[in-house]
Amino acid sequence: MNILVINCGSSSLKYQLIDSDSEKVLAKGLAERIGIEGSVLTHTPAGKDKVVKEAPMPDHKEAVRLVIEALIDKEHGVISSLSEIGAVGHRVVHGGEKFDRAVLIDESVIGDIEELSALAPLHNPANLIGIRACADNMPGVRQAAVFDTAFHQTMPKKAYMYGLPYEYYEKYKVRRYGFHGTSHDYVSKRAAEILGKKREDLKIIVCHLGNGASISAVKNGQCVDTSMGLTPLEGLIMGTRSGDLDPAILSFICDKEGLTPDEMNTVLNKKSGVLGLSGGLSSDFRDLCDAADKGNELAQMTLDTYCYRVAKYIGAYAMAMQGVDVIAFTAGIGENSYGVRTRVCSYLGYLGAIIREEDLKTRGEEIIVTEPGSKVTVMIVPTDEELSIARQTLALL
Ligand code: ADP
């Protein structure tokens, strides 16, 4: 069966059509600038050149229509008709406490996702628009919601509660939820598979280091802690997000700079992280590593600070799980950046990791980078959230 995987943002829509039998990607693409002038669809059929089509997309319904048109196009298409799409799997950011697994979408699920928009006002409404746009274009095709938070729902209360008045949890459900769950689940499973072991027998730390970054502790197959919180702002330093900081800094800076809470929020989400820390140099680790290699001290300090935070979380999670068997790096930076991995790994000797420096240079491939006798196995495991969404969708059918 072919499964269309959709990741819908407020003005963009990413898709992959996956054949669930072979698990091959038949086509993938991106619709950008939806609802804005200059909308463009980039469609890449497997084994063929990508096609870039500029076409008005006043709304997501039209974007989905164009995606389907591209998928069944005589020249660039990969299927002959809409009937060859068996189901649609949607990435939905916030499932709150309600969803601890993927579900088939019906009216009541739509209502729940809508209600959870209070916790993810930038994401859930956009995800819902994608769900409705698909329902309009593909009536009768079953759709699944795969939540970014679901995998983390196994965390114990001591890991998800904040030191705040309890009434905020009762009234507003203020607690740690965690994100990137699909990736943490996929990578921890895959790491165990590569090692020929059961995930249920391992203590795994997954470092998902992309533009957004989070780290999780997966003990005997279940998430027991993760670094992102009520929102994706907490935890590691990210491309443009601050990660952990002293909460008192917020009112201090608001006061000094005359910022409103909303403006401060924008600073924390868009102007902080490695971009802010490097004095505006870049949020891209390729630029930062290049600059650091050329002796730029701000870039070096930024990388050192970023990697120290990752190492501190690894230490904390090793303690939380009372041990660690596997540390896996994934996502854009985790899969590709030697500069980041080598700095993080420089802290791991204490855990008994014996790193093979040459292997640390590998990019984008599954590889074990520690010696066979190493007490903890460090690996690179490229993530595949779309495949995981397709698998979960298929399982629900
Ligand atoms: P997201 O999905 O959160 O947008 P990704 O997982 O795609 O992010 O990661 C994007 C980041 O990966 C970029 O900001 C870039 O810094 C980093 N990256 C990609 N390729 C490389 C590379 N070859 N070396 C270092 N960093 C890289």
Side-chain angles (χ1 to χ4, degrees), residues 247-289:
I249 292 172
L250 310 190
S251 59
F252 180 81
I253 299 288
C254 282
D255 198 28
K256 292 281 178 204
E257 297 270 321
L259 301 179
T260 64
D262 265 359
E263 288 166 340
M264 190 68 225
N265 215 13
T266 304
V267 171
L268 295 176
N269 277 290
K270 301 253 159 67
K271 299 184 179 167
S272 300
V274 293
L275 174 71
L277 194 52
S278 65
L281 188 66
S282 179
S283 65
D284 194 304
F285 280 73
R286 282 164 286 207
D287 303 335
L288 290 170
C289 290

Side-chain angles (χ1 to χ4, degrees), residues 210-212 283-286 331-333 336-337 363:
N211 235 333
S283 65
D284 194 304
F285 280 73
R286 282 164 286 207
I333 299 153
N336 293 299
S337 178
R363 281 185 42 199

